Amino acid sequence: MASRKEGSGATGSGFGASKGKGKASATGDSAVKQVQIDGLVVLKIIKHYQEEGQGNEVVQGVLLGLVVDDRLEITNCFPFPQHTEDDADFDEVQYQMEMMRSLRHVNIDHLHVGWYQSTYYGSFVTRALLDSQFSYQHAIEESVVLIYDPIKTAQGSLSLKAYRLTPKLMEVCKEKDFSPEALKKANIAYENMFEEVPIVIKNSYLINVMLWELEKKSAVADRHELLSLASSNHLGKSLQLLMDRVDEMSQDIVKYNTYLRNVSKQQQQKHQYQQRRQQENMQRQSRGEPPLPEEDINKLFKPLQPPPRLESLLIAGQINTYCQNIKEFNAQNLGKLFMAQALQDYNN
């Protein structure tokens, strides 16, 4: 996680989680069925973005906790410090080790169970995130990545989701074969690359009482601000990002079609060569001459390497994310419109 770019996460290291009974079964079931997050962790993630996140800047950090049966309990976290690639003296692995050693000395949960990062309009389905999460899950089976969306959260509802790589994609990543044949054999599409794990936020009873008290004291006018329909900027930005990804997908399709045309052309050349070779051997046989020696046709016509399809899957997944964002924006605005009309009728 040396850089601060979108989706660049820390590679998984030997910081093992507390192993409960949450091991994946032979049928490929996920090792984690639920993620339980302390409210303090959520506040730390939000505070981290508010202090360091600007525009499309991504913030990231480490999740700490333990595994109980098939439930992953996240009880603490700490951020990655903001630095540039020119800062060659900074050792992130050493930084994480020192942080967890210090937490252990003060009797705070220090076991590594994953990482978190913010996202910019849902732009988190990237190759960097996939590689980082694969490293984490390969080293720590139960690890997850938490994706925090500050834009959706600013509109009035907390947007925090937990993701893991599916067992099928984990196997393909281990083999490092992202050819069309390998992905087709594994039956991997953009829909089954990531699996979302349900999240439960846990607060103490005192915190719940305080939240009820704050809700009672909050002004009614402040609540009405959540009914604002001023989301055209968010919708326009999501549409722009969607069009950019569609353009990338179109370019990728052109590359793949070019590969298919080249393969078809090479097959025709092979067939013509074999026909000429067969005709020449027939002529030599009629003259009583021995046939030409057999040649390895693959040496004459080297097989063309198919373009990797992983980027196409990631682009398709990102397109799906943007479509979901647009759908949610429209649904929220429609709901706000009905609620505003209902409040107006009630006041009248």
Side-chain angles (χ1 to χ4, degrees), residues 231-249:
S231 61
S232 58
N233 292 335
H234 302 302
L235 183 60
K237 186 63 177 179
S238 296
L239 288 172
Q240 182 61 48
L241 293 172
L242 175 60
M243 290 188 292
D244 293 340
R245 292 300 178 270
V246 170
D247 290 339
E248 293 178 6
M249 177 64 75

Side-chain angles (χ1 to χ4, degrees), residues 35-50:
V35 176
Q36 178 179 295
I37 310 175
D38 283 4
L40 179 61
V41 176
V42 178
L43 294 177
K44 283 185 175 182
I45 295 175
I46 295 175
K47 184 173 181 289
H48 183 198
Y49 177 81
Q50 290 178 345

